[in-house]
Amino acid sequence: MKFIEIEQLNFLISSEDHQDGEMNWNKANDHVKIIGDGCRLPTKDELTIIYKNRDNIPNLDKFDAYWSSENSDNPETVYGKQGVAWSLTLYSGILTELGKSRYKCLVRLVKNKT
C-alpha cells in the first residue's frame, strides 16, 4: 500500500481506497489490523480535512462515504450491540453516524507523518 504526502494534510494518506471497496466498520478495522505498519482509519477531523482538500487527493470517490476511526457516543443512535461510528460523505462534507455492522462505506487509510 502506497502512502503519499499532500502539502495541505498533516498526515499521510493512501493513494487509493482499500481494494475490497465498501465494507462495514468492523471489517474495515480488521483490515487495519492486518495491514499494520501504522495504518489507521482517519479521525472525524481528518475526514473533514480530506473533504476540504478532496480535489488535491487522487482517486477519491467524491460521491461516496468514508469511515472514520471514531465511535459515536450518542445514545439515541445506537444500532444493536454494535454501536455507531462516524462517516463522511465527500459530495456534501456531512459527518453522519452510521451503524458499524449495518452500513458500508469506503476505506481510505492514513498514517502519521514521521
Side-chain angles (χ1 to χ4, degrees):
M1 181 167 293
K2 180 180 175 186
F3 285 82
I4 57 174
E5 187 168 349
I6 305 289
E7 184 177 327
Q8 298 87 342
L9 307 183
N10 58 0
F11 50 88
L12 300 174
I13 187 164
S14 174
S15 60
E16 297 182 317
D17 294 342
H18 192 279
Q19 64 187 9
D20 286 355
E22 291 182 334
M23 60 186 83
N24 70 32
W25 190 86
N26 296 319
K27 185 175 180 181
N29 276 282
D30 288 343
H31 282 294
V32 168
K33 291 174 190 171
I34 291 167
I35 294 168
D37 194 32
C39 298
R40 58 183 174 79
L41 293 173
T43 65
K44 287 188 323 187
D45 291 340
E46 289 169 337
L47 278 179
T48 301
I49 292 168
I50 289 169
Y51 169 74
K52 290 177 181 176
N53 293 281
R54 66 192 178 279
D55 293 333
N56 299 320
I57 301 170
N59 305 313
L60 281 177
D61 186 333
K62 296 176 185 169
F63 297 100
D64 213 332
Y66 287 84
W67 281 120
S68 164
S69 62
E70 295 181 60
N71 296 308
S72 171
D73 58 2
N74 183 348
E76 296 177 13
T77 58
V78 174
Y79 293 93
K81 295 180 182 178
Q82 295 297 319
V84 293
W86 291 98
S87 71
L88 184 131
T89 304
L90 282 186
Y91 68 84
S92 67
I94 296 173
L95 283 165
T96 307
E97 299 163 302
L98 296 177
K100 292 179 185 179
S101 62
R102 183 175 179 188
Y103 292 95
K104 294 183 178 183
C105 295
L106 293 171
V107 173
R108 179 64 68 107
L109 298 177
V110 299
K111 58 168 61 171
N112 296 337
K113 287 184 178 179
T114 54

